[in-house]
Amino acid sequence: MAGNMKVLNALDSAKTQWYHFTAIIITGMGFFTDAYDLFCISLVTKLLGRIYYHVDGSSKPGSLPPNVSAAINGVAFCGTIAGQLFFGWIGDKIGRKKVYGITLMIMSICSIASGLSFGRDPKTVMATLCFFRFWLGFGFGGDYPLSATIMSEYANKKTRGAFIAAVFAMQGFGILGGGIFAIIISAVFQACFKAPAYQVDPLGSTVPQATADMENVMQVDIGTDQKEPAVKSGNEFGLFTKQFLRRHGLHLLGTASTWFLLDIAYYSQNLFQKDIFSAIGWIPAAKTMNAIEEVQKIARAQTLIALCSTVPGYWFTVFLIDRIGRFTIQLIGFTMMTVFMFALAIPYHHWTLPGHHIGFVVLYSLTFFFANFGPNATTFVVPAEIFPARLRSTCHGISAACGKLGAMVGAFGFLYLAQPQDKTKADAGYPAGIGVRNSLIVLGVVNLLGLFFTFLVPESKGKSLEEMSRENEDSTEEGAEVENHSSDNRTVPV
């Protein structure tokens, strides 16, 4: 055990080497694919609605019925939650790297399969898409605890936060990549197929559609050929024990609750940008455009937001997380998200007036910037640092699963809440909601709650994994001193 501790101490003081960057690229590609697939679906559903749910004589283009839209968005989240819990648990049992390869294989196969359809009628097409998106989400779910844990255990304590944040920052490039790809493909189709606007020719406005390529992640090794030894600890309390509850119960509550609250707001904003942009008049009404033109305009708006705020926010975190700390960044992020959300919501009517759209977009972009230079990054980093090694992947999976529950609440809640209060103005099949303004107020309150729960999360800047998890301390069980000192079972390159 003393020898293992020497190796762990050497890891914590080691200089940055090439294998660190290899690990960032390999584990980060999973998040690139994750973001690309999850967020490009909002563009795809626009086309699916026009193609498969067109209503003759309707003044507006076809759109997915509420139950179908909820299913397409929801199955991926359900799969992700299942994957986070399952792979988080099994990663602690048989090793992180062994399981990580399985998740990449699932993601690759199901990404391709999501573009397939075993039939032409709407029900068959949607059922096929939902089936493969569930298993795609299952693979994504495993990526969360495994990527974070692998990176945390191979980094030194001075740069660990930046490395874990860099892995997560690949998500920003995935969002950006999805938007850029959509712009390019829609531009090609616009050039090849001249189509009229929907209000001119409803059927002619929808041209033959192309399927999107996917990113295929091949490599799974993170730069070392050594086996992962399972070193037993003398302090083997489990997840469902009084000792874990006493030491880490509030920490787990903090990481799970802040991730849950963050994802309610973050996924609401991301998945329904198109509706918010349409509501304020930044994007023209759907009936004034053909199908490809609508996709192109939405993709441009989303790409602009990603390029100017989402991606920079991620990398601000990478550069500053080991300087100012996780707690400070998360506190700043939730605070500013709350401020900007209320700044959008309270004078909402002002932003809908002609000439005021730019101000709305700027403030809206800043909420994305401070989400990523804030809790969207830190909620991923911290659970990989503060829990005991034998439970680290499991606890990260639990925290991440709570985040995806929040994403489901945000996706489904905003889908219905943002509908106009006048039912006659709501989309086909939807009941009256509370409107975009009140929905933004709700998201502001959610961000404020995230700010309060942040105080349950400890600061891990500059501390070793053993110090944060207190695995080097003598433990006491029912008043009796345990003779063996606890040791770490972190993956040790030997």
Side-chain angles (χ1 to χ4, degrees):
M1 290 185 182
N4 283 329
M5 289 307 302
K6 289 181 180 179
V7 174
L8 295 174
N9 290 333
L11 280 175
D12 280 329
S13 59
K15 295 181 178 179
T16 300
Q17 301 178 42
W18 177 246
Y19 79 86
H20 287 118
F21 296 103
T22 304
I24 290 172
I25 294 171
I26 294 173
T27 54
M29 281 308 297
F31 281 96
F32 177 93
T33 311
D34 179 357
Y36 182 98
D37 280 297
L38 285 181
F39 293 116
C40 75
I41 194 64
S42 64
L43 298 173
V44 174
T45 53
K46 279 288 186 182
L47 290 176
L48 293 177
R50 286 197 181 225
I51 295 170
Y52 293 107
Y53 294 92
H54 168 73
V55 178
D56 287 333
S58 175
S59 62
K60 294 193 294 186
S63 60
L64 297 183
N67 61 324
V68 176
S69 180
I72 290 176
N73 285 304
V75 291
F77 291 140
C78 292
T80 301
I81 292 171
Q84 287 165 336
L85 296 174
F86 175 75
F87 286 112
W89 168 74
I90 203 171
D92 283 330
K93 296 296 182 183
I94 67 176
R96 329 306 193 198
K97 290 192 296 178
K98 296 176 183 177
V99 181
Y100 188 62
I102 298 174
T103 67
L104 294 184
M105 181 177 67
I106 293 173
M107 289 161 59
S108 298
I109 294 173
C110 292
S111 292
I112 296 173
S114 293
L116 304 177
S117 174
F118 301 121
R120 294 184 177 180
D121 63 283
K123 289 184 179 180
T124 305
V125 172
M126 299 308 157
T128 302
L129 180 60
C130 287
F131 176 81
F132 287 115
R133 278 185 63 77
F134 174 86
W135 291 108
L136 180 63
F138 189 71
F140 289 156
D143 197 35
Y144 277 77
L146 296 174
S147 295
T149 307
I150 288 171
M151 199 66 249
S152 73
E153 293 174 345
Y154 276 83
N156 63 63
K157 62 184 179 182
K158 293 182 179 179
T159 59
R160 186 179 62 239
F163 285 163
I164 302 174
V167 170
F168 195 64
M170 295 298 287
Q171 192 176 68
F173 289 123
I175 296 172
L176 187 62
I180 292 174
F181 187 80
I183 291 172
I184 294 172
I185 292 298
S186 59
V188 171
F189 269 75
Q190 280 282 74
C192 296
F193 301 95
K194 298 297 183 181
Y198 179 87
Q199 62 187 3
V200 176
D201 182 359
L203 292 178
S205 68
T206 303
V207 299
Q209 306 305 322
T211 56
D213 292 332
M214 52 80 66
E215 293 289 334
N216 186 14
V217 182
M218 300 286 291
Q219 188 179 0
V220 297
D221 187 17
I222 71 164
T224 177
D225 295 325
Q226 290 82 4
K227 295 182 179 180
E228 298 177 277
V231 182
K232 295 293 183 182
S233 171
N235 186 14
E236 290 289 348
F237 60 84
L239 181 66
F240 302 104
T241 61
K242 292 182 179 179
Q243 196 163 359
F244 177 87
L245 182 64
R246 186 176 69 251
R247 286 193 174 192
H248 300 291
L250 287 178
H251 296 164
L252 185 57
L253 175 61
T255 57
S257 61
T258 52
W259 207 333
F260 173 80
L261 293 165
L262 176 275
D263 274 9
I264 291 177
Y266 189 72
Y267 277 83
S268 295
Q269 291 174 245
N270 257 308
L271 291 175
F272 299 103
Q273 286 185 54
K274 61 184 186 299
D275 301 304
I276 295 173
F277 295 154
S278 298
I280 66 166
W282 191 29
I283 294 177
K287 66 181 181 181
T288 65
M289 300 178 284
N290 63 46
I292 297 300
E293 186 181 5
E294 183 181 25
V295 170
Q296 189 176 49
K297 288 187 180 295
I298 294 172
R300 283 179 178 176
Q302 291 185 346
T303 302
L304 180 64
I305 295 291
L307 187 63
C308 296
S309 60
T310 303
V311 173
Y314 280 120
W315 291 98
F316 263 68
T317 299
V318 172
F319 293 127
L320 294 176
I321 192 169
D322 288 312
R323 292 178 172 85
I324 66 178
R326 291 77 161 140
F327 177 83
T328 301
I329 289 178
Q330 185 160 313
L331 206 63
I332 292 173
F334 269 128
T335 300
M336 300 308 294
M337 288 172 68
T338 303
V339 170
F340 289 122
M341 197 59 70
F342 284 135
L344 292 173
I346 295 173
Y348 180 73
H349 177 70
H350 168 80
W351 301 120
T352 62
L353 299 176
H356 297 168
H357 302 155
I358 293 178
F360 182 96
V361 172
V362 170
L363 291 179
Y364 190 68
S365 299
L366 286 171
T367 65
F368 278 101
F369 176 83
F370 282 103
N372 295 303
F373 177 50
N376 194 39
T378 55
T379 53
F380 176 80
V381 173
V382 174
E385 300 180 310
I386 65 176
F387 297 109
R390 66 190 168 279
L391 299 171
R392 188 171 293 139
S393 182
T394 300
C395 290
H396 195 284
I398 292 172
S399 301
C402 288
K404 277 299 174 285
L405 283 174
M408 292 177 67
V409 171
F412 298 149
F414 201 88
L415 185 68
Y416 287 90
L417 291 180
Q419 293 296 320
Q421 293 175 304
D422 183 352
K423 190 180 186 308
T424 61
K425 296 181 180 179
D427 292 337
Y430 287 87
I434 62 175
V436 173
R437 178 181 183 273
N438 291 329
S439 297
L440 293 176
I441 291 176
V442 170
L443 295 184
V445 173
V446 168
N447 291 329
L448 186 61
L449 291 174
L451 171 65
F452 294 145
F453 277 96
T454 294
F455 289 94
L456 297 178
V457 181
E459 176 59 75
S460 51
K461 182 187 73 168
K463 297 178 181 178
S464 69
L465 299 180
E466 299 74 53
E467 185 179 358
M468 285 306 304
S469 62
R470 297 167 57 190
E471 289 188 284
N472 291 333
E473 298 179 9
D474 288 339
S475 64
T476 57
E477 186 71 33
E478 296 179 356
E481 182 175 350
V482 178
E483 294 181 358
N484 295 327
H485 288 280
S486 63
S487 65
D488 196 294
N489 69 341
R490 171 161 42 146
T491 300
V492 183
V494 293

